Amino acid sequence: MAENEEEVLSSDNVQLFDDMIKFPNTLNSVYTGYITDLKENYAQTRFTASNDMTVDEEGLIFNSFIQIAANHAAILSINKEFLVTVGAKVNFLAPAKTGDIIDFEAKAFFSESKKREVKVIGMIDEIKVFEGTFYVVVLEEHIFTMQQKELEKQSKMQKINTEKS
């Protein structure tokens, strides 16, 4: 696929799926890839490895960029307003180089649970280059709001305990 065709496809997909995404999605698709399919408990994304992701003159892509794109696919498969990835077990099965296009497929499990497990596979053509499991917690509100409330609760308890002494 030519680079400008990729840009047009990317732009079309962003518009197509934008209304379906339930969480604030301000991440740069250069680093996360863009959505090619989105359903309940399922997402497909496409990520293109670029020059600024390389670790050497040969064009080897730093594996953390691949993991970022895979984590984004995992989050999209759950597609809830407040999510936090709390863990991951990942395997990098083959190297990626500048210009490689990695297609990620993410399948979420345990949809009735707050702690979700998401299996993600990354492929370059027919070659599996990434396989991982992400552990994601679905929250009722933003994690920083929850933390602030917990700090306020602890502060009140400490004040009550101090007054009793």
Side-chain angles (χ1 to χ4, degrees):
M1 182 179 300
E3 189 172 315
N4 59 351
E5 287 178 63
E6 178 109 357
E7 288 173 17
V8 170
L9 184 55
S10 174
S11 174
D12 289 346
N13 280 343
V14 167
Q15 291 174 347
L16 176 67
F17 292 109
D18 216 20
D19 293 337
M20 294 175 67
I21 299 173
K22 296 178 182 172
F23 59 91
N25 191 25
T26 59
L27 296 170
N28 187 333
S29 62
V30 167
Y31 300 110
T32 62
Y34 58 89
I35 304 166
T36 57
D37 194 8
L38 186 62
K39 300 174 187 147
E40 186 174 350
N41 298 316
Y42 182 83
Q44 284 184 337
T45 61
R46 177 166 279 181
F47 168 77
T48 303
S50 63
N51 281 331
D52 60 340
M53 300 173 187
T54 61
V55 296
D56 62 21
E57 306 81 37
E58 301 296 321
L60 178 66
I61 298 301
F62 185 50
N63 59 6
S64 291
F65 288 105
I66 297 167
Q67 185 169 344
I68 289 168
N71 189 20
H72 189 245
I75 293 292
L76 285 165
S77 73
I78 298 172
N79 196 21
K80 300 286 185 191
E81 187 174 9
F82 302 112
L83 303 166
V84 176
T85 301
V86 295
K89 292 181 182 177
V90 300
N91 294 303
F92 300 96
L93 306 171
K97 65 182 180 314
T98 300
D100 280 344
I101 296 171
I102 304 175
D103 290 308
F104 290 99
E105 181 178 56
K107 296 178 183 177
F109 299 94
F110 312 117
S111 60
E112 299 304 316
S113 173
K114 285 187 177 192
K115 188 172 181 184
R116 308 285 301 277
E117 185 176 291
V118 184
K119 304 283 187 190
V120 180
I121 302 292
M123 305 284 290
I124 298 174
D125 296 322
E126 301 297 318
I127 300 168
K128 186 189 298 186
V129 297
F130 179 90
E131 183 174 62
T133 302
F134 290 86
Y135 303 96
V136 180
V137 176
V138 179
L139 305 170
E140 294 179 20
E141 58 190 347
H142 195 282
I143 189 156
F144 293 154
T145 303
M146 291 176 62
Q147 287 176 335
Q148 185 61 39
K149 286 180 179 179
E150 183 61 29
L151 288 172
E152 289 169 2
K153 180 179 171 184
Q154 288 175 5
S155 177
K156 285 179 186 178
M157 291 303 292
Q158 189 176 29
K159 186 177 179 183
I160 289 170
N161 290 335
T162 303
E163 290 173 356
K164 287 181 178 180
S165 300

